[in-house]
């Protein structure tokens, strides 16, 4: 008989095929590293451990722990770690020792060796990620300490838990061979600007433990009286995003997926620290900022009033505006009278004013009135934030608003973590 065949009951083979297709489709949806490839994973205890944890995670449609995201910059490495707080008794009993060891080491310390720091004040608590509730930790250490970090990963047998780490930043390329050779780990390299934007939008959406992630400075033209105020970034577009790390990148965002890099400058946080080390003998970013906080840049910079005797009224230039950064240093008498603190302050003001000037011109060219400043240069750097807020407001006659974010330097690492949760195979 020709025509449509009658429906047949499902055979075991057909059911198995359908299940296989479902698993395949499941890889395309959500944060699920599939459980395929089991037949290839036998031999060493480490591989068997990965297989068991892969199967357990596959049932829940998420990658196995630990969950990390890493941003390897030119000066600092930023690491975010999700600590699960909803571990069941069964999970705890089956948990392998090196996973427990890593979690205990990261969460029970606020410092790691001489250079690693966990920024406890930035910790996000009771966060729901990929169906699990936990805390998100923020850790940083100098990029020159990366070999020690890789060795620690080897010592803690991290490759028995994952064979791949999600990383962004230039260091993901620079240190790729070191991770593979020293720790038997592959780096899944991610675009740093994509990660920056994804991480920023995510953190702003979840908030800062009930508080606003984004803020601005009210009365920004009054350096002494300006106050930090929350700002709602629910409808952020268009937005100019100024990322200040070792150097500076300036992006124009028109939507979550539509952005362009407008320009940048090589004069960034690395420039500030490098010059301070040369001029003052300081060793760390914190030491440089501490010195700058005590200094007076007007002893180093030549101001408008030093040239005009007051304001340059025709063009609205106040007498206190900087006419020539480090302009007083042409005079031996001035050089002999300044302090290291003055030099540090002048260096900070010079770098910050340059960034602010470029950002303002970009905002005008792109017809964008919200300028968001991020990056580790702004960490504990109230002087620069107030200077940027003042510059945006004053030189635009109140048309531009400078915005800042609490987790200023960690968005790239958060974006890498979010990519981990979407990956189909992290083993």
């Amino acid at each position: 008989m020709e025509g449509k065949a009658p429906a047949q009951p499902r055979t075991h083979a057909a059911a198995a095929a359908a299940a296989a297709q479902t698993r395949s489709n499941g890889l395309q949806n959500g944060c699920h590293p599939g459980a395929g490839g089991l037949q290839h994973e036998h031999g060493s205890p480490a591989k068997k451990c990965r297989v068991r944890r892969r199967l357990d995670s596959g049932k829940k449609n998420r990658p196995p722990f630990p969950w990390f995201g890493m941003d390897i910059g030119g000066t600092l490495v930023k690491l975010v770690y999700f600590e699960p707080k909803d571990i069941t008794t069964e999970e705890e009993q089956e948990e392998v020792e090196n996973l427990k060891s890593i979690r205990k080491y990261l969460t029970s310390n606020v410092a790691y060796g001489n250079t690693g720091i966990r920024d406890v004040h930035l910790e996000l608590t009771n966060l729901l990620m990929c169906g699990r509730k936990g805390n998100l930790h923020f850790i940083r250490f100098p990029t020159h300490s990366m070999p020690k970090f890789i060795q620690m990963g080897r010592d803690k047998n991290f490759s028995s838990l994952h064979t791949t780490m999600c990383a962004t930043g230039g260091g993901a390329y620079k240190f790729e061979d070191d991770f593979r050779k020293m720790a038997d780990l592959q780096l899944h390299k991610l675009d740093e600007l994509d990660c920056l934007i994804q991480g920023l939008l995510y953190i702003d959406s979840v908030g800062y433990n009930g508080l606003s992630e984004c803020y601005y400075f009210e009365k920004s033209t009054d350096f002494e009286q300006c106050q930090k105020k929350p700002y709602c970034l629910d409808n952020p577009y268009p937005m100019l995003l100024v990322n200040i790390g070792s150097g500076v990148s300036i992006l124009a965002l028109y939507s979550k997926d539509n952005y362009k890099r407008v320009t940048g400058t090589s004069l960034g946080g690395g420039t500030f620290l490098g010059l301070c080390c040369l001029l003052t003998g300081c060793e760390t970013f914190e030491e440089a900022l501490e010195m700058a906080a005590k200094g007076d840049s007007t002893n180093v910079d030549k101001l408008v009033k030093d040239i005009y005797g007051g304001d340059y009224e025709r063009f609205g230039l106040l007498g206190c505006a900087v006419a020539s950064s480090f302009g007083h240093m042409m005079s031996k008498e001035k050089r002999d009278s300044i302090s290291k603190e003055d030099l540090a302050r002048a260096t900070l003001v010079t770098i910050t004013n340059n960034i602010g000037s470029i950002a303002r011109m970009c905002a005008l060219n792109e017809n964008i009135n919200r300028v968001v400043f991020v990056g580790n240069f702004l960490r504990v750097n109230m002087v620069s934030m107030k200077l940027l807020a003042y510059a945006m407001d004053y030189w635009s006659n109140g048309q531009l608003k400078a915005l800042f974010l609490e987790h200023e330097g960690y968005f790239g690492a958060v974006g890498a973590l979010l990519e981990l949760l979407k990956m189909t195979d992290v083993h």
Side-chain angles (χ1 to χ4, degrees):
M1 182 182 297
E2 294 182 358
K4 187 174 180 181
Q8 297 294 322
R10 259 182 144 185
T11 65
H12 291 296
Q21 181 61 45
T22 300
R23 285 196 299 271
S24 176
N25 292 341
L27 296 178
Q28 312 304 320
N29 304 302
C31 43
H32 175 44
L38 175 61
Q39 63 273 25
H40 302 296
E41 295 272 7
H42 51 72
S44 71
K47 286 187 177 179
K48 290 179 180 178
C49 167
R50 285 202 298 269
V51 171
R52 186 177 72 250
R53 296 176 64 253
R54 177 187 305 183
L55 290 171
D56 290 344
S57 296
K59 296 173 186 176
K60 302 295 185 181
N61 204 39
R62 55 177 166 250
F65 293 123
W67 294 351
F68 286 104
M70 184 164 53
D71 179 5
I72 311 173
T75 305
L76 278 179
V77 177
K78 287 76 67 178
L79 188 74
V80 295
Y81 166 65
F82 181 83
E83 174 200 8
K85 302 297 287 185
D86 57 355
I87 297 175
T88 64
T89 304
E90 182 182 2
E91 284 178 318
E92 192 169 6
Q93 290 172 348
E94 294 182 354
E95 201 170 46
V96 293
E97 284 303 318
N98 55 334
L99 180 56
K100 293 179 181 178
S101 172
I102 289 171
R103 183 169 66 245
K104 181 178 180 182
Y105 176 72
L106 291 176
T107 60
S108 62
N109 293 293
V110 295
Y112 313 95
N114 297 323
T115 57
I117 298 292
R118 178 161 62 93
D119 286 316
V120 180
H121 67 287
L122 294 179
E123 180 180 336
L124 296 180
T125 59
N126 296 318
L127 199 62
L128 190 65
M129 297 192 80
C130 220
R132 297 301 297 259
K133 182 176 286 189
N135 299 340
L136 197 59
H137 298 274
F138 299 84
I139 299 166
R140 57 183 162 85
F141 58 90
T143 305
H144 64 70
S145 295
M146 179 57 81
K148 294 180 180 178
F149 174 79
I150 298 173
Q151 184 61 49
M152 183 188 73
R154 178 187 178 121
D155 294 342
K156 291 189 177 294
N157 200 20
F158 188 89
S159 63
S160 69
L161 305 170
H162 284 297
T163 58
T164 303
M165 286 190 71
C166 285
T168 189
Y173 295 85
K174 180 178 179 179
F175 294 102
E176 183 178 16
D177 286 345
D178 295 330
F179 271 92
R180 187 177 64 253
K181 293 173 182 176
M182 294 174 61
D184 194 25
L185 286 168
Q186 299 291 328
L187 290 186
H188 180 62
K189 302 183 294 295
L190 301 159
D191 182 81
E192 62 179 300
L193 299 182
D194 286 343
C195 286
L196 168 68
I197 293 167
Q198 290 176 33
L200 186 157
L201 295 175
Y202 174 77
I203 293 294
D204 183 69
S205 71
V206 299
Y208 183 27
N209 296 324
L211 304 175
S212 174
E213 171 71 18
C214 187
Y215 62 93
Y216 71 103
F217 287 96
E218 190 178 59
K219 301 178 182 177
S220 58
T221 54
D222 188 333
F223 204 79
E224 298 301 323
Q225 297 299 318
C226 66
Q227 294 181 333
K228 182 176 170 181
K229 296 287 185 179
Y231 184 88
C232 179
L233 204 60
D234 285 351
N235 184 24
Y237 311 109
M239 167 176 69
L240 197 75
L241 182 60
V242 183
N243 186 30
I244 315 173
S246 299
V248 182
S249 284
I250 300 179
L251 312 175
L253 276 69
Y254 302 100
S255 72
K256 181 172 70 74
D257 301 312
N258 180 17
Y259 77 87
K260 65 179 180 179
R261 186 181 187 273
V262 179
T263 189
T265 172
S266 61
L267 306 182
T271 314
F272 164 66
L273 180 55
L275 287 174
C276 276
C277 290
L278 282 172
L279 294 171
T280 71
C282 71
E283 295 290 341
T284 67
F285 182 72
E286 289 78 10
E287 188 180 353
L289 284 181
E290 187 177 342
M291 294 176 76
K294 300 174 183 176
D296 184 351
S297 60
T298 63
N299 294 330
V300 178
D301 296 336
K302 186 168 288 188
L303 308 181
V304 169
K305 66 182 178 183
D306 296 321
I307 300 173
Y308 279 85
D311 300 342
Y312 187 3
E313 294 180 358
R314 180 183 176 188
F315 294 106
L317 291 174
L318 297 177
C320 61
V322 178
S324 175
S325 297
F326 282 75
H328 280 321
M329 294 302 91
M330 294 181 286
S331 164
K332 184 179 186 304
E333 182 181 353
K334 290 283 189 179
R335 290 197 301 270
D336 291 340
S337 66
I338 59 165
S339 66
K340 290 183 177 180
E341 288 76 12
D342 294 339
L343 287 169
R345 180 67 169 236
T347 304
L348 185 62
V349 170
T350 297
I351 297 299
T352 304
N353 281 346
N354 183 63
I355 294 169
S357 178
I358 296 172
R360 185 177 68 87
M361 288 188 287
C362 289
L364 292 175
N365 287 340
E366 297 296 325
N367 195 28
I368 296 174
N369 58 20
R370 279 180 297 196
V371 185
V372 180
F373 294 92
V374 298
N376 264 297
F377 175 68
L378 300 175
R379 179 171 52 84
V380 297
N381 187 358
M382 191 60 70
V383 171
S384 287
M385 287 191 284
K386 288 185 176 181
L387 278 173
L388 290 168
Y390 172 87
M392 292 298 105
D393 189 357
Y394 180 81
W395 294 110
S396 70
N397 293 317
Q399 296 303 303
L400 295 178
K401 183 178 288 290
L403 303 174
F404 305 91
L405 296 160
E406 299 287 357
H407 292 82
E408 57 268 307
Y410 283 104
F411 300 115
V414 173
L417 172 63
L418 295 175
E419 284 300 313
L420 168 74
L421 302 183
K422 290 189 271 184
M423 283 179 63
T424 60
D425 189 0
V426 294
H427 305 279

